[in-house]
Amino acid sequence: MLLRHTTDKIVERHALTVNPAKTCQPIGAMYASLGIRGCIPHSHGSQGCYAYHRSTLTRHYKEPVIAATSSFTEGSSVFGGQANLIQAIDNLFTIYSPEVIAVHTTCLSETIGDDIPQIVKKAEAEGKIPKGKYIIHTNTPSYVGSHVTGFSNMTKSMVDYLSQGNGHKEKCINIIPGFVEPSDMEEIKRITSELGIKSIVFPDTSNVLNGPMTGKYKMFPKGGVTVEDLKKTGCSIGTLALGRLASGAAARALDTKCKVPCELLDLPIGLEATDTFIDTLRQVAGVHVPDSINIERGQLLDIICDMHQYFYGKKVGLVGDPDQLISLSKFLISIDMWPVHIVTGTPGKKFEKRIREITKDSPYKVNVKQSGDMFLFHQWIKNEPVDLLIGNTYVKYIARDEDIPFVRFGFPILDRVGHSFFPTVGYRGGMRLLEKILDALLDRKDRDSSETEFELVM
Amino acid sequence: MEEILSQDNSCLAPEELKQEILHKYPVKIARKRAKQIIINKVNDNDVPEIQANVRTIPGIISQRGCCYAGCKGVVLGPTRDIINLTHGPIGCGFYSWLTRRNQTMPKNEKDHNFMTYCFSTDMQEEQIIFGGEKKLKAAIQEAYDIFKPKAIAIFSTCPVGLIGDDVHSVAREMKAKLGINIFAFSCEGYKGVSQSAGHHIANNGIFTHVIGKDDTIREGDYKINLLGEYNIGGDAFEIERLFEKCGITLISTFSGNSSIDQFANAHTADLNLIMCHRSINYVGDMMEKKYGIPWLKINFIGAEATAKSLRKIAQYYGDEKLIDKVESVITEEMPFVEKAINEIKPKTSGKRAMLFVGGSRAHHYQELFKELGMGTISAGYEFAHRDDYEGRKVLPNIVVDADSRNIEELNILPDETRYRPRKNEETIEELKVHGVPIKDYEGMMPTMDENSMIIDDISQYETEKLIEFYKPDIFCAGIKEKYIVQKFGIPMKQLHSYDYGGPYAGFKGAVNFYKEIDRMVNSKVWKYLKAPWQIKTELVAKYVWE
């Protein structure tokens, strides 16, 4: 037993987190920054933070992840990191010449209270910022929120720093795709262009964190939203924010700053959430949904219908980020599966309420916790076993100990590939998710069946 | 080797390449980096001076991590039966959770093994404002109530140092209350200039709080400790196998496949073997001063290096029985190695490697490459000090700067009851003359070729330039560099995590490594980087439209 000390006896804990279901803000900010073309994310703090974030993102995407750090030592922690950041800005523009440096803070620089805009202003006055280049920043104290909060904060900063309105509205829709994979951002762009809609998707890590192997390394790949497009977001006719937690803040900021109206939708994971996404797109842009999309939708329905017997009534345990879990829970329920244990590490008030609403017809007692951890999740499973687990790579230890089929979904996935290339959003993404769920369930059925019951056709 | 060095595709001499690299930097930065980029010149073990263990320049994009990573991740991380509790916001604990793949083998199902757990106080804004000691105490109590561990180690992260939580007094208080060993580390990420500071803080802590606490004398003829071996990919298991075969008794490993009981008993050994000189050499020194145990630098990376190290251990004891046993084990193991080398070497010979890792691996792995007929054209450490490059003879000349002064140096005196010199000075001198370099390490540069480029704390830009210039056949570094190097079309071997392979230590490990490098440098994938239409770009039209 790998988690041999986890017993079914649940003891209230107030101070100790065991096996967290979240990580800290700066990594989310770093991920979002990588979705701007020509951008170097910069971590203002000691160098361990950026090393850890780069390592985790690299392990998850299996792609180069470039970022820089202010490399605080004891002195900078006492006297402030101004000199470090100015030197870093100078070095980064001189050596690597990025278009944008996206600075995020860490718990260290937040606690000492470094004022990033003031430092950037000083760098500018000293001529350290070349003409036409940008520095944007966000505050990401690690002791507030989670990686999702960090993503949201940096995405909002893109609006705060770069979006510009000029009174004219272009026939273009902004889409804020949420803390999803590069493949998902790509799929969102594909669906939108299939509908014949011009869009600006930001941040956009497609072609940055799922790039090709060519024999040539490019520090700044051709993916990512351009600064020029980010500026234009202020002139779009509307914004769709996918995932309230990760995308809501940026969408609202854009409304306030440039009067671009926004709609906050669930992440388009699964049938209903994708329906809503496409229907909203249709109405905002005033377009007809093409048959190609109807075909995809029908194909997803076809799988649900064909394989329904294997989904029906199955109990599922879920660990992940709030936006994902809300849509995923809805999707599972739409195919007659029942999420019974749901944990997110990310704090927030609305999550539990939303999940309670979604699962209100459940025949089972539903355990749900925000600011929870995987130790508690595992204990719930010991008390009430499930048929399937869905979560990030760390869940594999629970899956092995409890011998439960497991589908990897969420962040981080450190031990498998595919997530950066194949989406889980949209109808096609739904089809892929169902394929993975079926593979896990049917592999288990094959493994567990007696020789007499072993089926050729399923 | 000269030939291997001159295979480069450009006519730039190393010195010119160095100048070209420096040219891009702002003047002040160039001046500093110039001292950290050295063209090797070996003259009777005399090598040029390199600047090391100095602050990372902000914004150069370095490979380095932090003090916490060195303390919690590297040194204490592999010890299975301690609850390692990170006091701080969630990130630090999360990132150091299982990512160093320390394999461990508890004796039975019931033994404590907390390796798969991540414990954190998950500090929130409230604790940053009002202090986190209360939450820390409560977390220790909860950890004790649920897990009943033998010991709890507490690790401070950056904000803890800033707000001034006294983790040491919390540890003392809870130790008194709960009656188990509880100790804390002030290993905030900003301390020192790299992971190295964290190793030092961790080792000092173990030395102060654990070593010497259990005087049980274990049976066995040749009792040793293995220091600086972290059991990545099961390296320690292979080394343990060899010790057992030779009849050598392993008291403790610092710290791979390790337990706190082994640490407590470590002072009963008669010899300390040092693998990673950087992370732990001072523990060897301290154990000598306090308990009279000499240390010996060994290297179990490479079959030849392994054989040599086993022979040195036997010579240290000077016991014919052990000397014969070691010889027979080597004779028994080598055919397996030779068979692999005969098959693989023709496919790897003449190829060129670069190594930029850690604080000893960049040296040790050169042995394995040599066995494959491969040369190392450039190497450097992520967090080493000058002695790791130039040898311990430079120790008296190393200027202690402010960042190093902040890391506590323990003042060690002989233990009143436990000090027992295992060898007298005369014997030690005699052993040195006979090729058993007690308390010595020659460093990496003396064993590297003339004109090879040694770079301390290499930056992203320098990595790119080196690759463009030398086009090595393989590059060794860590996860952050992995896919950058690979995008150049050059195989990249992770030497921190071994790309989830290994073990590479000892004889079996050497063979694993030969096969791995053969697979990597001879993989078909590198031939497919260009599509047929990118190689032959002219277009002959089959359809002609009027």
Side-chain angles (χ1 to χ4, degrees):
Chain A
M1 297 291 270
L2 289 161
L3 296 161
R4 59 178 69 181
H5 302 285
T6 308
T7 58
D8 56 5
K9 192 177 162 228
I10 298 173
V11 182
E12 255 319 88
R13 282 174 286 128
H14 302 287
L16 182 70
T17 293
V18 186
N19 297 356
K22 65 165 177 184
T23 182
C24 64
Q25 281 212 52
I27 196 171
M30 187 180 282
Y31 178 55
S33 309
L34 290 164
I36 305 174
R37 185 176 301 178
C39 177
I40 291 185
H42 183 92
S43 166
H44 187 53
S46 52
Q47 67 216 11
C49 304
Y50 107 127
Y52 273 141
H53 305 148
R54 287 182 71 201
S55 295
T56 305
L57 292 172
T58 305
R59 287 183 179 118
H60 177 85
Y61 295 105
K62 311 214 181 297
E63 283 290 312
V65 172
I66 278 300
T69 169
S70 296
S71 291
F72 274 42
T73 53
E74 215 143 25
S76 12
S77 307
V78 177
F79 301 112
Q82 174 170 294
N84 294 47
L85 184 52
I86 291 177
Q87 190 181 33
I89 289 168
D90 188 22
N91 283 334
L92 287 170
F93 281 128
T94 310
I95 305 166
Y96 301 105
S97 49
E99 295 303 314
V100 186
I101 298 173
V103 183
H104 59 262
T105 56
T106 60
C107 38
L108 177 50
S109 55
E110 276 295 319
T111 309
I112 64 175
D114 269 358
D115 181 350
I116 309 294
Q118 174 267 320
I119 299 174
V120 171
K121 233 176 247 165
K122 191 160 192 295
E124 198 169 14
E126 288 174 13
K128 300 280 162 63
I129 307 170
K131 212 169 173 311
K133 306 271 183 172
Y134 296 87
I135 296 182
I136 66 172
H137 108 282
T138 193
N139 292 84
T140 47
S142 314
Y143 39 77
V144 175
S146 75
H147 55 291
V148 182
T149 327
F151 181 92
S152 165
N153 283 339
M154 184 51 88
T155 307
K156 178 176 175 288
S157 281
M158 294 174 195
V159 171
D160 291 344
Y161 274 92
L162 298 167
S163 299
Q164 293 172 1
N166 60 5
H168 295 286
K169 290 292 174 217
E170 296 289 326
K171 279 190 178 166
C172 180
I173 296 177
N174 304 319
I175 303 180
I176 311 177
F179 199 147
V180 291
E181 295 288 330
S183 51
D184 294 323
M185 299 183 184
E186 207 148 32
E187 180 66 0
I188 286 163
K189 287 194 289 186
R190 186 191 67 84
I191 291 171
T192 312
S193 73
E194 199 85 351
L195 283 156
I197 297 169
K198 205 177 147 212
S199 68
I200 299 170
V201 174
F202 74 96
D204 176 12
T205 57
S206 62
N207 287 321
V208 179
L209 291 169
N210 58 358
M213 169 67 89
T214 59
K216 284 199 183 86
Y217 167 70
K218 285 200 185 87
M219 184 181 263
F220 306 114
K222 280 274 177 278
V225 61
T226 59
V227 170
E228 205 182 320
D229 273 352
L230 274 173
K231 286 182 182 168
K232 285 189 200 155
T233 53
C235 302
S236 296
I237 51 167
T239 303
L240 299 189
L242 310 181
R244 279 152 216 264
L245 218 67
S247 307
R252 281 188 291 260
L254 198 48
D255 191 351
T256 312
K257 184 176 177 186
C258 306
K259 305 283 169 285
V260 180
C262 64
E263 298 224 27
L264 271 51
L265 306 177
D266 287 338
L267 276 179
I269 294 170
L271 185 64
E272 290 169 60
T274 306
D275 281 352
T276 310
F277 172 56
I278 289 174
D279 202 35
T280 313
L281 270 179
R282 176 183 74 104
Q283 295 188 29
V284 173
V287 293
H288 290 289
V289 176
D291 247 358
S292 56
I293 296 283
N294 290 330
I295 289 169
E296 288 171 20
R297 185 176 189 276
Q299 286 170 330
L300 173 62
L301 275 178
D302 199 50
I303 296 181
I304 300 173
C305 173
D306 291 348
M307 306 306 269
H308 184 257
Q309 70 186 93
Y310 301 107
F311 301 129
Y312 181 73
K314 294 278 193 304
K315 289 189 279 183
V316 195
L318 308 173
V319 177
D321 297 341
D323 290 342
Q324 273 86 350
L325 291 185
I326 285 167
S327 297
L328 188 60
S329 296
K330 276 173 74 175
F331 187 30
L332 292 172
I333 288 171
S334 75
I335 59 173
D336 291 307
M337 294 177 88
W338 291 111
V340 292
H341 309 306
I342 305 149
V343 162
T344 185
T346 299
K349 292 194 184 91
K350 294 189 184 129
F351 179 72
E352 281 192 29
K353 208 173 144 234
R354 262 321 288 281
I355 294 286
R356 291 274 173 229
E357 278 165 23
I358 293 165
T359 57
K360 66 178 188 310
D361 296 327
S362 176
Y364 303 103
K365 177 180 177 267
V366 177
N367 288 313
V368 50
K369 193 159 168 72
Q370 59 199 34
S371 306
D373 59 27
M374 289 194 206
F375 186 72
L376 175 68
F377 178 71
H378 191 177
Q379 289 183 313
W380 281 345
I381 289 164
K382 282 187 180 285
N383 284 288
E384 175 72 33
V386 293
D387 302 297
L388 180 71
L389 291 172
I390 304 180
N392 68 32
T393 287
Y394 285 94
V395 176
K396 81 192 254 185
Y397 289 83
I398 302 173
R400 183 183 154 115
D401 271 8
E402 304 300 331
D403 196 20
I404 300 171
F406 168 44
V407 169
R408 284 165 181 78
F409 176 82
F411 179 83
I413 295 171
L414 308 169
D415 60 339
R416 295 292 190 274
V417 293
H419 47 275
S420 39
F421 302 109
F422 310 111
T424 54
V425 300
Y427 301 122
R428 285 190 177 173
M431 287 159 75
R432 176 165 176 264
L433 256 177
L434 288 191
E435 184 199 9
K436 285 173 86 83
I437 290 172
L438 274 167
D439 281 350
L441 293 172
L442 296 185
D443 280 351
R444 167 54 54 89
K445 199 167 164 52
D446 277 344
R447 198 198 78 182
D448 289 351
S449 67
S450 68
E451 291 192 1
T452 319
E453 296 165 320
F454 192 66
E455 305 283 358
L456 174 74
V457 181
M458 283 178 147
Chain B
M1 199 56 64
E2 281 291 299
E3 209 176 293
I4 284 174
L5 276 172
S6 61
Q7 271 177 20
D8 57 70
N9 304 321
S10 155
C11 52
L12 280 186
E15 189 56 47
E16 285 174 86
L17 173 63
K18 178 176 169 177
Q19 291 315 320
E20 197 188 294
I21 288 173
L22 295 175
H23 186 69
K24 178 101 180 183
Y25 289 129
V27 181
K28 243 175 83 185
I29 308 305
R31 213 178 296 137
K32 188 172 173 193
R33 288 305 293 159
K35 296 179 196 154
Q36 289 173 278
I37 303 174
I38 299 299
I39 315 298
N40 202 24
K41 296 259 176 291
V42 191
N43 199 348
D44 282 339
N45 259 10
D46 213 21
V47 287
E49 183 178 328
I50 187 166
Q51 194 175 65
N53 192 35
V54 291
R55 289 181 192 182
T56 312
I57 300 161
I60 63 156
I61 309 189
S62 137
Q63 298 182 324
R64 281 176 171 174
C66 69
C67 182
Y68 165 85
C71 183
K72 195 268 178 181
V74 175
V75 179
L76 270 302
T79 302
R80 63 176 163 264
D81 50 1
I82 301 180
I83 281 199
N84 283 327
L85 174 60
T86 301
H87 184 39
I90 200 66
C92 308
F94 181 87
Y95 303 117
S96 57
W97 177 21
L98 286 169
T99 47
R100 226 177 115 84
R101 69 183 294 252
N102 308 105
Q103 300 182 358
T104 197
M105 219 182 275
K107 294 242 160 29
N108 62 57
E109 278 275 305
K110 288 205 176 89
D111 273 5
H112 283 181
N113 180 8
F114 299 110
M115 216 62 129
T116 47
Y117 291 86
C118 163
F119 302 95
S120 170
T121 53
D122 186 12
M123 283 172 100
Q124 299 298 303
E125 202 158 24
E126 192 193 321
Q127 285 95 43
I128 301 296
I129 298 166
F130 300 109
E133 289 181 18
K134 223 170 105 187
K135 192 171 192 188
L136 175 61
K137 272 183 222 171
I140 293 169
Q141 184 69 50
E142 287 174 3
Y144 177 77
D145 291 343
I146 297 170
F147 299 99
K148 295 282 175 327
K150 290 178 208 169
I152 298 176
I154 303 154
F155 302 88
S156 301
T157 58
C158 292
V160 169
L162 288 183
I163 64 172
D165 275 0
D166 188 347
V167 290
H168 304 283
S169 88
V170 170
R172 278 193 300 272
E173 188 188 323
M174 294 309 284
K175 183 179 177 176
K177 185 178 176 195
L178 302 174
I180 59 166
N181 199 357
I182 300 177
F183 40 91
F185 298 91
S186 291
C187 55
E188 296 87 356
Y190 54 74
K191 286 248 176 93
V193 300
S194 71
Q195 292 95 313
S196 174
H199 305 145
H200 206 145
I201 289 167
N203 285 314
N204 283 351
I206 299 178
F207 194 82
T208 310
H209 297 287
V210 190
I211 298 175
K213 298 284 183 258
D214 173 15
D215 289 323
T216 312
I217 304 290
R218 278 173 51 191
E219 273 183 40
D221 291 330
Y222 317 105
K223 281 182 272 207
I224 55 141
N225 297 317
L226 183 58
L227 308 185
E229 161 48 53
Y230 302 100
N231 196 27
I232 304 297
D235 277 354
F237 299 143
E238 164 66 358
I239 301 171
E240 285 165 19
R241 181 185 74 85
L242 292 173
F243 286 156
E244 200 165 313
K245 223 171 152 184
C246 295
I248 296 165
T249 307
L250 180 68
I251 300 292
S252 69
T253 305
F254 284 60
S255 24
N257 190 27
S258 46
S259 81
I260 190 161
D261 298 337
Q262 290 179 357
F263 294 161
N265 194 231
H267 62 294
T268 62
D270 294 319
L271 173 65
N272 279 328
L273 302 176
I274 293 194
M275 268 286 271
C276 174
H277 177 262
R278 177 64 267 135
S279 59
I280 206 156
N281 69 80
Y282 33 81
V283 173
D285 283 336
M286 292 192 293
M287 281 176 79
E288 192 191 13
K289 276 190 198 144
K290 188 162 180 179
Y291 304 110
I293 311 169
W295 64 265
L296 178 61
K297 172 79 180 75
I298 46 87
N299 175 19
F300 288 113
I301 303 299
E304 290 296 333
T306 302
K308 215 166 131 186
S309 293
L310 289 173
R311 286 186 176 120
K312 278 187 200 167
I313 299 166
Q315 269 176 283
Y316 168 83
Y317 284 102
D319 187 328
E320 281 307 320
K321 203 177 101 197
L322 181 61
I323 293 170
D324 291 348
K325 187 68 200 168
V326 160
E327 286 309 322
S328 82
V329 167
I330 295 169
T331 315
E332 212 176 293
E333 299 272 337
M334 278 312 269
F336 169 69
V337 174
E338 276 154 13
K339 185 170 169 282
I341 269 295
N342 290 340
E343 278 169 25
I344 293 168
K345 199 172 171 180
K347 295 188 280 175
T348 52
S349 263
K351 294 197 185 288
R352 310 176 314 154
M354 286 186 184
L355 299 96
F356 290 93
V357 264
S360 279
R361 281 175 209 263
H363 185 196
H364 290 162
Y365 276 82
Q366 295 187 25
E367 299 273 345
L368 273 169
F369 282 116
K370 260 182 218 159
E371 289 171 7
L372 289 164
M374 294 172 68
T376 303
I377 43 177
S378 187
Y381 296 130
E382 192 176 336
F383 48 73
H385 301 199
R386 269 184 66 198
D387 42 320
D388 303 295
Y389 288 103
E390 301 170 58
R392 286 180 70 90
K393 61 179 185 301
V394 302
L395 276 174
N397 310 326
I398 294 179
V399 184
V400 182
D401 61 16
D403 294 310
S404 301
R405 211 169 286 128
N406 288 336
I407 313 304
E408 187 191 16
E409 286 287 343
L410 299 182
N411 186 22
I412 304 298
L413 296 168
D415 189 286
E416 281 173 21
T417 53
R418 296 180 185 85
Y419 180 77
R420 179 171 59 86
R422 308 313 203 258
K423 298 268 180 202
N424 59 36
E425 278 306 315
E426 216 168 73
T427 325
I428 284 176
E429 286 312 312
E430 204 173 302
L431 280 166
K432 281 185 184 171
V433 174
H434 290 95
V436 186
I438 304 283
K439 294 187 272 175
D440 195 25
Y441 174 48
E442 63 178 342
M444 177 172 86
M445 287 162 84
T447 63
M448 283 192 71
D449 288 302
E450 290 268 317
N451 284 331
S452 47
M453 207 180 243
I454 319 288
I455 306 184
D456 182 63
D457 184 19
I458 193 168
S459 74
Q460 159 76 22
Y461 168 69
E462 290 155 13
T463 305
E464 287 179 43
K465 292 302 277 186
L466 273 189
I467 291 173
E468 283 163 14
F469 178 72
Y470 284 115
K471 297 187 176 56
D473 297 286
I474 193 159
F475 193 98
C476 304
I479 180 66
K480 300 190 293 299
E481 297 76 38
K482 171 130 186 136
Y483 302 101
I484 293 166
V485 174
Q486 248 169 231
K487 291 281 185 203
F488 280 104
I490 286 166
M492 151 69 216
K493 179 71 190 167
Q494 288 188 71
L495 283 188
H496 295 289
S497 71
Y498 294 174
D499 287 317
Y500 315 96
Y504 297 139
F507 299 111
K508 283 190 180 168
V511 173
N512 285 342
F513 194 77
Y514 305 155
K515 287 182 181 162
E516 174 70 349
I517 297 306
D518 174 29
R519 173 189 76 74
M520 292 184 79
V521 299
N522 293 310
S523 164
K524 291 186 194 69
V525 69
W526 312 114
K527 293 180 198 140
Y528 296 119
L529 294 177
K530 279 198 162 70
W533 51 90
Q534 290 167 324
I535 299 164
K536 208 175 157 193
T537 51
E538 72 270 28
L539 189 61
V540 184
K542 291 268 169 72
Y543 300 146
V544 180
W545 304 95
E546 285 295 320

